[in-house]
Amino acid sequence: MADKPSMTAPLLSLTGKLLISMPGMGDPRFAHSVIFLSSHGEDGAMGLMVNKPAQGIGLSDVLDQLSRDFGPAKHQLGVHFGGPVETGRGFVLHSDEYRSALHTLRVEGGFGMTATLDVLEDIAKGEGPDKALLMLGYAGWGPGQLESEIAQNGWLTADATPEIVFDLPDAAKWEAALGSLGIDPLVLSATAGRA
């Protein structure tokens, strides 16, 4: 007897893509959020919100919290709320020309992510990546969870561009990400309907 062919389709990786929250998103932490997916696979997904600044905190404040002396920061960098998981942990999403001496995750499309202290030291010295966002925390999904949320119209996906991620003001990123799909935010409804 021959083996039956698998009825499950291979998982389409969304690594390096943007998630754009829909207006009906039930979790207020993700309202109008744009998330860069640094990894996505059968084990789940991890992403960083690129448009939610952490209020009242900058690079100097983060460096002061660490028990190492980085010297005076030559470059100021805003700090973002990367997501609700491990909010005390820092990640730097950056342009891909920078490589940490310890470890940098390269992400297709011109991005890198570094979670080691040397990137902060390099940024403080003015020797870090050309473009960067410092995140505290991350957004995470278990196996199949993100796919389910997408199927329930919680998220749209779009190609990530350095312009949307790094160059635009935070308040303009959600609308620009929707615009990259040809969607006017004014036509989105908070409720999905069926005919």
mmCIF file of all heavy atoms in Angstrom, residues 6 22 44 50-51 62 65 70 90 102 147 155 176:
data_model
loop_
_atom_site.group_PDB
_atom_site.id
_atom_site.type_symbol
_atom_site.label_atom_id
_atom_site.label_comp_id
_atom_site.label_asym_id
_atom_site.label_seq_id
_atom_site.Cartn_x
_atom_site.Cartn_y
_atom_site.Cartn_z
ATOM 1 N N SER A 6 1.128 13.970 1.741
ATOM 2 C CA SER A 6 0.822 14.887 2.843
ATOM 3 C C SER A 6 -0.220 15.899 2.396
ATOM 4 O O SER A 6 -0.145 16.449 1.303
ATOM 5 C CB SER A 6 2.099 15.618 3.277
ATOM 6 O OG SER A 6 1.790 16.605 4.215
ATOM 7 N N MET A 22 -4.769 45.104 12.273
ATOM 8 C CA MET A 22 -6.050 45.546 11.735
ATOM 9 C C MET A 22 -6.806 46.313 12.812
ATOM 10 O O MET A 22 -6.568 46.108 14.006
ATOM 11 C CB MET A 22 -6.858 44.337 11.266
ATOM 12 C CG MET A 22 -6.242 43.626 10.059
ATOM 13 S SD MET A 22 -6.288 44.647 8.585
ATOM 14 C CE MET A 22 -8.029 44.544 8.198
ATOM 15 N N GLY A 44 7.052 28.762 15.693
ATOM 16 C CA GLY A 44 6.402 30.003 16.086
ATOM 17 C C GLY A 44 7.049 31.193 15.409
ATOM 18 O O GLY A 44 7.715 31.057 14.381
ATOM 19 N N VAL A 50 7.953 48.336 15.521
ATOM 20 C CA VAL A 50 8.845 49.396 15.047
ATOM 21 C C VAL A 50 8.235 50.785 15.157
ATOM 22 O O VAL A 50 8.877 51.767 14.797
ATOM 23 C CB VAL A 50 9.304 49.130 13.593
ATOM 24 C CG1 VAL A 50 10.078 47.824 13.500
ATOM 25 C CG2 VAL A 50 8.135 49.155 12.618
ATOM 26 N N ASN A 51 7.009 50.874 15.676
ATOM 27 C CA ASN A 51 6.350 52.187 15.710
ATOM 28 C C ASN A 51 5.766 52.548 17.070
ATOM 29 O O ASN A 51 4.897 53.413 17.159
ATOM 30 C CB ASN A 51 5.254 52.264 14.637
ATOM 31 C CG ASN A 51 4.092 51.325 14.910
ATOM 32 O OD1 ASN A 51 4.249 50.267 15.512
ATOM 33 N ND2 ASN A 51 2.916 51.713 14.456
ATOM 34 N N VAL A 62 19.105 53.776 29.022
ATOM 35 C CA VAL A 62 19.352 52.335 28.977
ATOM 36 C C VAL A 62 20.792 52.050 29.377
ATOM 37 O O VAL A 62 21.061 51.138 30.165
ATOM 38 C CB VAL A 62 19.042 51.760 27.577
ATOM 39 C CG1 VAL A 62 19.486 50.311 27.467
ATOM 40 C CG2 VAL A 62 17.553 51.882 27.270
ATOM 41 N N GLN A 65 21.331 52.144 33.022
ATOM 42 C CA GLN A 65 20.769 50.997 33.731
ATOM 43 C C GLN A 65 21.708 49.788 33.724
ATOM 44 O O GLN A 65 21.608 48.921 34.583
ATOM 45 C CB GLN A 65 19.426 50.584 33.116
ATOM 46 C CG GLN A 65 18.326 51.601 33.295
ATOM 47 C CD GLN A 65 17.887 51.691 34.745
ATOM 48 O OE1 GLN A 65 17.777 50.686 35.428
ATOM 49 N NE2 GLN A 65 17.653 52.904 35.207
ATOM 50 N N PHE A 70 29.906 52.734 29.423
ATOM 51 C CA PHE A 70 30.062 52.868 27.979
ATOM 52 C C PHE A 70 30.652 54.220 27.602
ATOM 53 O O PHE A 70 30.920 54.476 26.447
ATOM 54 C CB PHE A 70 28.698 52.714 27.278
ATOM 55 C CG PHE A 70 28.149 51.324 27.327
ATOM 56 C CD1 PHE A 70 27.212 50.964 28.278
ATOM 57 C CD2 PHE A 70 28.559 50.372 26.424
ATOM 58 C CE1 PHE A 70 26.695 49.681 28.320
ATOM 59 C CE2 PHE A 70 28.043 49.085 26.451
ATOM 60 C CZ PHE A 70 27.116 48.743 27.403
ATOM 61 N N GLY A 90 16.774 43.702 25.776
ATOM 62 C CA GLY A 90 16.942 44.643 24.677
ATOM 63 C C GLY A 90 17.355 43.983 23.376
ATOM 64 O O GLY A 90 18.075 42.978 23.364
ATOM 65 N N LEU A 102 30.074 39.549 18.396
ATOM 66 C CA LEU A 102 29.563 38.370 19.082
ATOM 67 C C LEU A 102 28.510 37.631 18.271
ATOM 68 O O LEU A 102 28.653 36.460 17.987
ATOM 69 C CB LEU A 102 29.009 38.766 20.450
ATOM 70 C CG LEU A 102 30.031 39.413 21.384
ATOM 71 C CD1 LEU A 102 29.355 39.908 22.648
ATOM 72 C CD2 LEU A 102 31.141 38.429 21.704
ATOM 73 N N GLU A 147 -0.417 32.310 12.434
ATOM 74 C CA GLU A 147 -1.206 31.940 11.253
ATOM 75 C C GLU A 147 -2.703 32.026 11.563
ATOM 76 O O GLU A 147 -3.489 32.492 10.735
ATOM 77 C CB GLU A 147 -0.837 30.528 10.789
ATOM 78 C CG GLU A 147 0.582 30.391 10.258
ATOM 79 C CD GLU A 147 1.651 30.266 11.356
ATOM 80 O OE1 GLU A 147 1.321 30.219 12.562
ATOM 81 O OE2 GLU A 147 2.828 30.230 11.000
ATOM 82 N N TRP A 155 -4.194 40.532 11.351
ATOM 83 C CA TRP A 155 -2.985 41.130 10.788
ATOM 84 C C TRP A 155 -3.020 41.082 9.270
ATOM 85 O O TRP A 155 -3.555 40.149 8.693
ATOM 86 C CB TRP A 155 -1.745 40.348 11.228
ATOM 87 C CG TRP A 155 -1.527 40.246 12.693
ATOM 88 C CD1 TRP A 155 -1.841 39.182 13.493
ATOM 89 C CD2 TRP A 155 -0.939 41.221 13.541
ATOM 90 N NE1 TRP A 155 -1.482 39.448 14.785
ATOM 91 C CE2 TRP A 155 -0.923 40.692 14.852
ATOM 92 C CE3 TRP A 155 -0.432 42.505 13.338
ATOM 93 C CZ2 TRP A 155 -0.419 41.390 15.941
ATOM 94 C CZ3 TRP A 155 0.075 43.195 14.414
ATOM 95 C CH2 TRP A 155 0.076 42.646 15.706
ATOM 96 N N ALA A 176 1.800 54.130 6.361
ATOM 97 C CA ALA A 176 2.704 53.875 5.233
ATOM 98 C C ALA A 176 2.760 52.384 4.903
ATOM 99 O O ALA A 176 2.802 52.011 3.725
ATOM 100 C CB ALA A 176 4.100 54.396 5.553
#
